[in-house]
Amino acid sequence: MTETSTSPTASVRSPAGSPVLGGLGLFTVLLGAALPLIDFFIVNVALPTIGRDLAASEAVLELVVAGYGVAYAVLLVLGGRLGDLFGRRRLFIGGMVAFGITSLACGLAPTAWTLVAARIAQGAASAAMLPQVLATIQSATAGPRRARAMGLYGATAGLSMVAGQILGGVLVAADIAGTGWRSVFLVNVPVVLLGLVLAARTVPETRSQRPEPVDVPGTFLLAVSLITLLAPLTEGRAAGWPLWTWVSLAAFPFAAAAFYAVERGADRKGRTPLVPPTLFALTSLRRGLVMIVPFSIGFSGFMFVIAVALQRGAELGPVQAGLALAPMAVTFFCVSLAGPRLVTRFGTRVVTVGGMIQGVGVALIALAAWRSWPDLGLVELLPGAAVAGAGQALQLPVLFRIILSEIEPARAGVGSGVMITTQQSALALGVATLGTLFLSLSPGMGMGDALVTTLVVQLGGIVLTTLLSVRLPRVIG
């Protein structure tokens, strides 16, 4: 039987004694899910101000983004395993405390390199907190309540990624008490304090019924695999592609092969590896993960490129650059609320329709950039951003539900960690690939044409995700 906390206020229980996640508890874990995703994107519009204030080079500014993303991605699966082992509520609260402390350290950083170090620590804290959200939902909800909770999680995730960029622009421009860019990190502290009070009272304790020790070799090799891939791709262009970047990329396939061999060997010996290969026997998980990679690459790449283009090319301030994406956030939120009902009625084909709608939206943005550059702002982007946001809302929340639909509660932490690691790695790759393409093309063809070209490349990724969606299971289990 699942172990639960003995605190009367920490856990809500069903008559049968199993932990139940109530409405306020769901709000609390969704708040915890929003914080790491907001912080991945919130710095995009703050980077120019950070660079001026801390006299940071472009390569160091890239590390402010990449350090967080790589640490986050590398440790996510381990965070899920630790939650299964020691208790998800405990790891959620511990991760939130660490996130608050590291956010304060980011906000008070006196130098650029101090900020980089604090951001890496902040990514590690996020990796401890976020996997517990989905694992708690999987373990403490069932039936329609789980479907609704998963829909709200997907809506929160997508909205957080857009809202982070908008919030970053507003906070930088507001210059609260003279804090400037520091407020994008300091704002986390009161939110964390609220989350901790709520979590102590409303989030039930759950853990795996058959907890397994941490797979040390697997954890090490997964970390090496992700670092050898993500570090050179995210830092290579700004650093001028030195020798270490090529050596690292060359080492990636060997590290990945070693990781797979170790995990497969552990599975055959009856131990529970960090990422059980048998997990990928689940059709819903396997096909959902394959689709979420190009989707997330396109999503994060677009957010980074549009932030740079609007501020450096169209010369908009941080507020205007952030608010230009407000229509995307509004339509994403509204359409995602209707997602569960649409899935119940039409099945997972809503994902295919969402891909088509998103493609139309990105094409409209590309057309606006081609016709209006450099006079590109809220009015010009509104039709395309609104349509693209609606299309994204029909994909991301549903994909999360599909990927986790067949995972048993005992493996909820591992499954959540695998899914979020895949998504986070793809988000980092999006900034690295589409961002590098845009910044490489800009000097030769100008930012306007570089933006249009990058959006056309993203359209190719959207076509791929739409085609892949046809192979998804028609019904979510």
Side-chain angles (χ1 to χ4, degrees), residues 326-419:
M328 180 179 288
V330 171
T331 56
F332 188 103
F333 178 73
C334 294
V335 174
S336 64
L337 293 179
R341 292 193 297 273
L342 293 173
V343 172
T344 300
R345 184 172 180 181
F346 300 108
T348 60
R349 288 298 171 261
V350 299
V351 179
T352 306
V353 174
M356 296 176 181
I357 294 173
Q358 184 192 5
V360 171
V362 171
L364 288 173
I365 293 172
L367 181 62
W370 177 66
R371 295 180 59 181
S372 303
W373 187 263
D375 300 318
L376 196 63
L378 173 63
V379 174
E380 292 77 17
L381 291 174
L382 192 153
V387 173
Q392 291 163 347
L394 293 176
Q395 296 174 84
L396 190 63
V398 184
L399 279 175
F400 286 154
R401 284 181 60 190
I402 292 170
I403 291 169
L404 297 177
S405 61
E406 295 183 274
I407 297 177
E408 58 189 39
R411 281 184 162 183
V414 176
S416 301
V418 169
M419 184 187 78

Side-chain angles (χ1 to χ4, degrees), residues 91-106:
L91 262 289
F92 178 78
I93 291 176
M96 184 171 279
V97 170
F99 187 85
I101 293 172
T102 53
S103 294
L104 183 63
C106 288

Side-chain angles (χ1 to χ4, degrees), residues 5 87 107 212 260 294-295 469:
S5 170
E212 296 282 347
Y260 177 76
F295 177 89
S469 69

Side-chain angles (χ1 to χ4, degrees), residues 49 76 136 138 203 228 232 239 357 467:
T49 311
L76 275 165
T136 299
Q138 287 288 100
V203 177
T228 54
I357 294 173
L467 294 173

